[in-house]
Amino acid sequence: MDNRYDLIVIGSGPGGYVAAIRAAKLGMKTAIVEQGEIGGTCLNRGCIPTKTLMHSSHLFYEAKHLHAAGLHFEGLSFDMEEIQARKDEIILKVRQGIVSLLEANGVTILQGTATIQKENRVVLRRAATAEELELSAKNILVATGSVPLVPEIEGSTLPNVVTSDDLLSKSTLYPKLLIIGGGVIGVEFASIYSELGCEVEIVEAMDRILPAMDKEISQSVAMSLKKKGVAIHTKARVIRILQGEAGGLVCEYEEKDNVKQANASGILIAVGRRANTKDLFAPGVEVEYDGANLKVNDAFETSTPNLYAIGDVIRGKQLAHAASAQGVAAVEQMCGEKMSIDLTVIPSCVYTSPEIAAVGMSEEEALREGHSVRTGKYPMLGNCKTMISMGERGFIKVIADADTDKILGAQLMCERATDIVGEFSTAIVNGLTVKDLASVVRPHPTYGEAVTEAVEDTLGMAIHLMPKRK
């Protein structure tokens, strides 16, 4: 076996496997190393399992309200073991698809733990046989992703204090779940548990949940969760976790200068994720870091020549599609080709009901950047498809430059927002104006019609909005 490669990719998540396939298509002899299951965190312990559980919880929640559509039935229930089995089935199907794609493109799949040595060498250790294999490559790409961040909180190691990794594999539900952290992970698990009828409480240190997103979206999501019975505490600092009565837990936190306690049967710590670089480098291999992340240049190359890094191990948005795009870009740079993807426009999505999506600048960000801003907004309760599907309140908001009319950003809270946002991403990347987007005929009745209304509202020309008072 020839162990010399043009590229060795470490990690088979959406950044790693995409980079490996693109490298193979560009003529590079490529190997990919994975110590766990092919597909990485996103497929096995992140995006796909979470969204699969959310799909089931959304259906269950909607079914309880189908009497509004004239549908009546008795005995509605769910089986968590069956929901988990369906999740596992989907993961397996996607994993098999990725393996087939890698093999079909001639990528060598190596199972084991990789340690990067000096002089572009990698030692592969196979846990099952204790075998060590030395590999060499012209280029090495680190795509090892991230792991849940667990802060030093007293009581964080108690039974039933869990991370998202743990919660995704449970076949039973906690009757009362307290979530430390109101970011995307926390909010999505709050949706799952509340829609399945559990009691949920969120403790968030910042002044609002989803603090990285547009303020109006954060407020609207909070309103939607509270409607489902979720209790939310903001500007709240967790002090410690205690063992409660009958196997329960108690979270002690400070809110508005008052120390409070909340009981729970399970506590989810969802305060973020950290770069997964533990034991990745052999002694003597010196790589420059940016805080806890690997530092890279615009070509995704680290301080060590021919050693690249992408995805959650570098600073930036921890998103699967961002990692995939970076993987393609890094490989193109290795091959001396021009980057084919605009990495400055990365949409963010939250799969609550209704869905959340944002891309480009918010209104506040555009003003800080010195733009003269013009906004348009369309409330989704006026959209026929939303009415037909019994959708919740939401909106599409567009940010445009008042001087050039170019689209700068968009924030969406509506059904299919995560699909619709791609239209705004395309507009921003290609420098399209509000008139360009308004010139498209969109079918009726669809959620997408609201795009026309929102962009036309930036010009004061929306048909299905009452005229603004002068």
Side-chain angles (χ1 to χ4, degrees):
M1 177 181 176
D2 185 0
N3 294 331
R4 293 171 296 178
Y5 297 91
D6 295 317
L7 172 63
I8 294 174
V9 180
I10 304 174
S12 68
Y17 87 77
V18 168
I21 292 174
R22 178 55 60 94
K25 288 182 179 292
L26 291 173
M28 301 177 81
K29 182 184 177 184
T30 305
I32 189 165
V33 180
E34 175 56 59
Q35 67 176 0
E37 300 283 4
I38 292 294
T41 295
C42 176
L43 173 57
N44 298 291
R45 299 174 302 282
C47 323
I48 303 306
T50 305
K51 278 55 180 179
T52 304
L53 296 184
M54 292 190 84
H55 182 69
S56 293
S57 71
H58 290 344
L59 289 176
F60 182 73
Y61 183 78
E62 289 174 2
K64 290 192 293 185
H65 298 85
L66 285 180
H67 60 274
L71 303 178
H72 303 275
F73 50 86
E74 296 180 357
L76 177 67
S77 65
F78 66 87
D79 187 313
M80 199 61 197
E81 289 188 358
E82 291 180 7
I83 291 174
Q84 287 285 9
R86 177 176 179 270
K87 177 208 73 179
D88 293 340
E89 181 183 352
I90 289 172
I91 291 171
L92 180 60
K93 284 182 180 178
V94 177
R95 186 187 300 137
Q96 290 172 337
I98 294 171
V99 170
S100 296
L101 287 170
L102 289 167
E103 292 175 342
N105 281 280
V107 176
T108 301
I109 301 173
L110 299 170
Q111 203 75 34
T113 302
T115 304
I116 299 171
Q117 312 281 330
K118 291 182 178 180
E119 299 174 351
N120 284 31
R121 292 179 297 115
V122 174
V123 170
L124 175 70
R125 293 179 177 83
R126 302 183 192 274
T129 62
E131 174 191 6
E132 286 195 3
L133 189 66
E134 186 168 297
L135 316 170
S136 64
K138 295 177 183 177
N139 302 283
I140 298 170
L141 177 63
V142 176
T144 49
S146 61
V147 294
L149 175 63
V150 180
E152 294 184 2
I153 299 173
E154 181 185 340
S156 62
T157 59
L158 287 171
N160 295 315
V161 178
V162 298
T163 66
S164 56
D165 287 2
D166 306 315
L167 209 54
L168 283 170
S169 60
K170 277 184 64 64
S171 58
T172 57
L173 293 173
Y174 291 117
K176 165 69 182 293
L177 179 68
L178 185 138
I179 302 172
I180 300 174
V184 174
I185 296 172
V187 163
E188 290 190 342
F189 275 105
S191 295
I192 294 170
Y193 266 68
S194 62
E195 288 176 344
L196 292 178
C198 302
E199 191 178 348
V200 180
E201 202 161 350
I202 297 174
V203 178
E204 167 58 46
M206 302 294 283
D207 62 350
R208 55 191 172 95
I209 61 171
L210 297 177
M213 303 202 80
D214 180 77
K215 189 173 183 179
E216 187 173 5
I217 281 182
S218 298
Q219 293 170 338
S220 297
V221 173
M223 191 182 303
S224 177
L225 288 174
K226 288 176 182 177
K227 183 181 174 183
K228 294 176 181 176
V230 177
I232 300 174
H233 307 280
T234 54
K235 294 183 180 179
R237 180 181 65 87
V238 174
I239 300 170
R240 58 178 175 166
I241 300 169
L242 306 169
Q243 190 70 61
E245 297 179 359
L249 297 166
V250 177
C251 178
E252 192 174 278
Y253 62 96
E254 184 180 4
E255 182 182 20
K256 296 179 181 177
D257 297 325
N258 294 315
V259 175
K260 301 179 180 180
Q261 290 187 337
N263 296 312
S265 45
I267 293 179
L268 169 64
I269 296 180
V271 296
R273 300 181 66 85
R274 60 176 176 81
N276 180 26
T277 58
K278 184 181 180 182
D279 300 328
L280 181 61
F281 300 102
V285 178
E286 296 183 0
V287 182
E288 191 173 348
Y289 279 78
D290 180 8
N293 304 93
L294 294 178
K295 187 175 183 178
V296 296
N297 59 21
D298 291 341
F300 298 99
E301 190 172 19
T302 69
S303 58
T304 299
N306 304 111
L307 175 62
Y308 297 78
I310 59 167
D312 288 5
V313 293
I314 67 174
R315 188 173 294 279
K317 291 185 176 182
Q318 293 182 325
L319 298 169
H321 46 282
S324 296
Q326 291 166 0
V328 170
V331 167
E332 289 172 340
Q333 292 293 294
M334 296 175 203
C335 295
E337 298 204 356
K338 184 180 178 181
M339 286 191 190
S340 60
I341 300 176
D342 187 335
L343 297 173
T344 64
V345 182
I346 305 291
S348 299
C349 301
V350 188
Y351 292 80
T352 49
S353 181
E355 293 180 343
I356 308 297
V359 67
M361 300 180 191
S362 66
E363 184 175 358
E364 291 179 358
E365 290 168 338
L367 290 170
R368 280 201 305 268
E369 291 285 329
H371 291 277
S372 297
V373 171
R374 180 183 292 151
T375 65
K377 182 179 175 183
Y378 183 71
M380 294 302 289
L381 286 179
N383 173 260
C384 289
K385 186 64 179 289
T386 300
M387 294 184 198
I388 292 168
S389 60
M390 299 187 298
E392 295 186 37
R393 57 178 290 168
F395 60 87
I396 293 179
K397 182 178 179 180
V398 181
I399 315 300
D401 186 289
D403 299 322
T404 66
D405 276 346
K406 286 185 177 181
I407 304 291
L408 299 175
Q411 293 83 47
L412 302 82
M413 181 177 177
C414 59
E415 309 299 321
R416 304 297 181 191
T418 60
D419 298 312
I420 298 171
V421 73
E423 187 168 352
F424 289 106
S425 299
T426 301
I428 297 169
V429 167
N430 291 281
L432 301 185
T433 66
V434 291
K435 289 183 179 179
D436 292 327
L437 277 191
S439 69
V440 177
V441 177
R442 296 177 176 84
H444 172 79
T446 61
Y447 300 117
E449 287 179 284
V451 173
T452 301
E453 299 292 338
V455 294
E456 287 190 335
D457 187 46
T458 65
L459 304 171
M461 298 299 289
I463 299 295
H464 296 97
L465 280 176
M466 296 298 287
K468 293 183 174 67
R469 293 181 179 179
K470 297 181 179 179

